[in-house]
Amino acid sequence: ENVDPQKTAFLLRKAWTLYSVTPLYRFHRARLRDYARLLSAFIAAEKQKGLAVEVGVELDIKVAVSSLADLRGSEQDQAAVLVQLSLRSRASSRNSEDKLVWLGWFCSVYGDDLSENVPEDFTCLPLFLTHGAESYTSMVGSWFQKTFDCCFRRLAISPLNLSWMVAMWAGCKLDRAASAVELVFSVPHLSQPLDISYAIHPEDAKALWDTVQKTPGEITQEEVDVFMDCLYAHFHRHFKIHLSAAKLVKVSTAVASAHCDGIVKILHSQYLPGVLMLLTELAISQIQ
């Protein structure tokens, strides 16, 4: 709730690819500037296919590593860490702007389940989100894994978790006109891929959720199941298609959208902590 919308605006409306990350060994916040320099030299060396590159020499890729103190849930959470890669401008003017080519950030929002059980030398930032070329993600991931003895894994989102997301987000109050709630299903066992898109008016989706939810602020699996069953029954009544036989692959709401491949777009700053809390939980469950 204390997130400053201006400081986190750049996180919104971008497609983020999700990873889980095991705790970082001997990661020191006081050394972020050193890490940026070392990572920059590592990327330059990788680009030169293994030719040694001197640390600190002017390189094409500029790396910035900084703290995002606002992005955490509880006192136990570590502040988020932002990694930015920019291409240095080759223009003669020293004032010309560097071009941002890749963004990644480590965070933990109410990640106490993990941090409580980890020795002091380790830093818990289980969720890693990236936006930009896969090649840069691979290089940044390699450097972090070698330097802090951690392990990155792509974080997929199961149909069950997607149904939780659509139920939670459909029930959110929004101060502006909301976009439709959309569910995309993939139909299995066909020679040609077929997707079914099912859009629901946001007010209808919220009204349905409000009738299903027993205790405001709490959600149970049973409530999510009832919510989805109602949507399936409505669709079957009109189109005679059993959506429960298809696979839920994507959900979109005014709060956020999520794809089963682990790609998320957060659309509303008010619900940024809530979305990150859910994603942190998924990352921790993959690590454990």
Side-chain angles (χ1 to χ4, degrees):
E1 289 176 10
N2 304 324
V3 173
D4 179 346
Q6 285 184 312
K7 287 184 184 169
T8 55
F10 72 96
L11 304 176
L12 301 177
R13 286 176 282 284
K14 285 185 177 74
W16 297 101
T17 302
L18 308 178
Y19 294 80
S20 64
V21 186
T22 57
L24 311 175
Y25 180 59
R26 291 193 170 165
F27 175 87
H28 300 294
R29 232 157 250 282
R31 294 195 57 207
L32 295 185
R33 195 167 285 181
D34 291 342
Y35 297 156
R37 220 174 61 246
L38 293 165
L39 177 54
S40 179
F42 177 81
I43 290 171
E46 288 289 299
K47 287 192 147 215
Q48 302 225 354
K49 293 281 184 281
L51 294 175
V53 172
E54 209 177 315
V55 172
V57 175
E58 279 283 297
L59 304 166
D60 282 350
I61 288 281
K62 181 179 171 185
V63 178
V65 182
S66 56
S67 252
L68 283 172
D70 283 18
L71 270 185
R72 54 186 185 179
S74 68
E75 286 298 309
Q76 281 79 33
D77 285 329
Q78 297 278 343
V81 172
L82 175 68
V83 182
Q84 294 168 288
L85 306 187
S86 307
L87 273 178
R88 288 183 194 278
S89 170
R90 293 191 176 277
S92 53
S93 160
R94 290 198 71 86
N95 299 331
S96 49
E97 293 250 324
D98 295 333
K99 184 188 173 197
L100 190 64
V101 290
W102 185 92
L103 276 172
W105 44 299
F106 297 85
C107 76
S108 177
V109 178
Y110 296 106
D112 308 2
D113 284 1
L114 188 64
S115 56
E116 281 169 356
N117 305 314
V118 163
E120 254 178 43
D121 272 347
F122 289 89
T123 299
C124 290
L125 292 164
L127 179 65
F128 184 52
L129 306 94
T130 71
H131 176 76
E134 184 79 33
S135 56
Y136 288 126
T137 302
S138 173
M139 286 188 251
V140 172
S142 293
W143 185 81
F144 270 89
Q145 288 179 111
K146 285 174 184 165
T147 309
F148 303 109
D149 197 19
C150 58
C151 176
F152 284 62
R153 274 179 67 199
R154 274 296 297 269
L155 182 60
I157 305 174
S158 68
L160 177 68
N161 286 319
L162 286 174
S163 62
W164 268 80
M165 288 172 178
V166 76
M168 288 169 78
W169 299 341
C172 290
K173 286 191 182 72
L174 290 167
D175 48 10
R176 57 166 189 254
S179 50
V181 171
E182 186 185 6
L183 298 90
V184 178
F185 295 84
S186 168
V187 181
H189 315 306
L190 295 178
S191 54
Q192 295 292 319
L194 174 68
D195 284 350
I196 297 173
S197 172
Y198 180 9
I200 304 117
H201 192 283
E203 286 173 18
D204 293 341
K206 185 172 181 341
L208 173 60
W209 177 248
D210 289 345
T211 61
V212 168
Q213 190 178 31
K214 296 184 180 75
T215 314
E218 283 181 28
I219 298 178
T220 66
Q221 182 62 57
E222 185 188 1
E223 289 167 349
V224 173
D225 290 344
V226 171
F227 178 75
M228 295 301 288
D229 287 345
C230 289
L231 294 179
Y232 291 159
H234 180 75
F235 196 86
H236 182 262
R237 200 158 50 244
H238 287 278
F239 303 106
K240 301 292 180 278
I241 293 172
H242 289 286
L243 285 178
S244 54
K247 180 189 174 190
L248 182 59
V249 292
K250 186 183 178 188
V251 298
S252 304
T253 71
V255 170
S257 68
H259 191 281
C260 63
D261 289 343
I263 295 166
V264 165
K265 196 181 278 190
I266 304 166
L267 304 169
H268 207 287
S269 60
Q270 183 186 346
Y271 294 104
L272 179 66
V275 174
L276 293 176
M277 179 173 128
L278 184 58
L279 297 177
T280 298
E281 196 179 308
L282 296 183
I284 290 172
S285 67
Q286 176 158 293
I287 292 164
Q288 290 174 333

